[in-house]
Amino acid sequence: AYKRFSELLPKEERENACSARVPKSQILTLPELRANPFQHRICHVFSTSDDRDDSMSFEDFLDMLSVFSDSATSDIKSHYAFRIFDFDDDGTLDRKDLEQLVNCLTGQGEESRLSSMEMEQLIQNILEESDIDKDGTINLAEFQHVVSRSPDFASSFKIVL
């Protein structure tokens, strides 16, 4: 992990990799993130940058790898998945978050984009399945309940260097 992190830094900064921050643009060059539709959200959620530039310290990088590792519990994975899918960072998955989530998964191209009727139906189905308290949003507990019924969630929510 240290080797991969330090390789993202300019040569002159590699000596002090533990105290350096890697810009988001460099993190996104990792093959493991390059094709991930949530790459920007992943950087945002794991970055502790005061500048809000989504750069990562070595510790941020390790936290990300830890959550996406096979040894992370399903609870930890689902907690971070929820944060990644909570695009507006308000602590709930509302209709807007769900629409962005679906668009990330289906692609942004015209040929793959759902019609507004299909999108509305899909969001309605997601809410009917997940929104236990019927408040129109999915909170963390509701999300974790849904994820707990998906046996392949933990094994598919991973990044291996």
Side-chain angles (χ1 to χ4, degrees), residues 2-15:
Y2 181 80
K3 184 177 184 296
R4 288 293 298 277
F5 182 80
S6 62
E7 287 169 353
L8 296 170
L9 290 165
K11 281 189 174 33
E12 62 276 5
E13 289 183 40
R14 290 183 184 166
E15 290 292 313

Side-chain angles (χ1 to χ4, degrees), residues 21-25 27-28 33 36-57 60-61 63-64 68 79-91 97 100 159:
R21 295 195 73 81
V22 171
K24 176 183 174 180
S25 59
I27 299 287
L28 296 179
L33 283 180
N36 190 310
F38 301 101
Q39 56 179 250
H40 296 284
R41 287 294 304 161
I42 290 169
C43 287
H44 179 74
V45 166
F46 287 97
S47 172
T48 58
S49 171
D50 293 333
D51 299 335
R52 299 245 185 267
D53 61 3
D54 296 344
S55 63
M56 285 194 192
S57 66
D60 297 339
F61 189 71
D63 287 346
M64 177 183 76
F68 284 105
H79 171 83
Y80 279 93
F82 181 84
R83 287 189 54 204
I84 290 165
F85 300 157
D86 181 13
F87 289 90
D88 57 10
D89 296 318
D90 69 352
D97 292 319
Q100 278 187 271
I159 294 174

Side-chain angles (χ1 to χ4, degrees), residues 111-128:
E111 69 286 343
S112 61
R113 179 163 276 164
L114 298 181
S115 72
S116 53
M117 233 167 70
E118 292 169 325
M119 180 66 80
E120 183 52 40
Q121 186 59 58
L122 181 56
I123 289 173
Q124 199 53 48
N125 292 349
I126 292 169
L127 288 171
E128 280 174 24

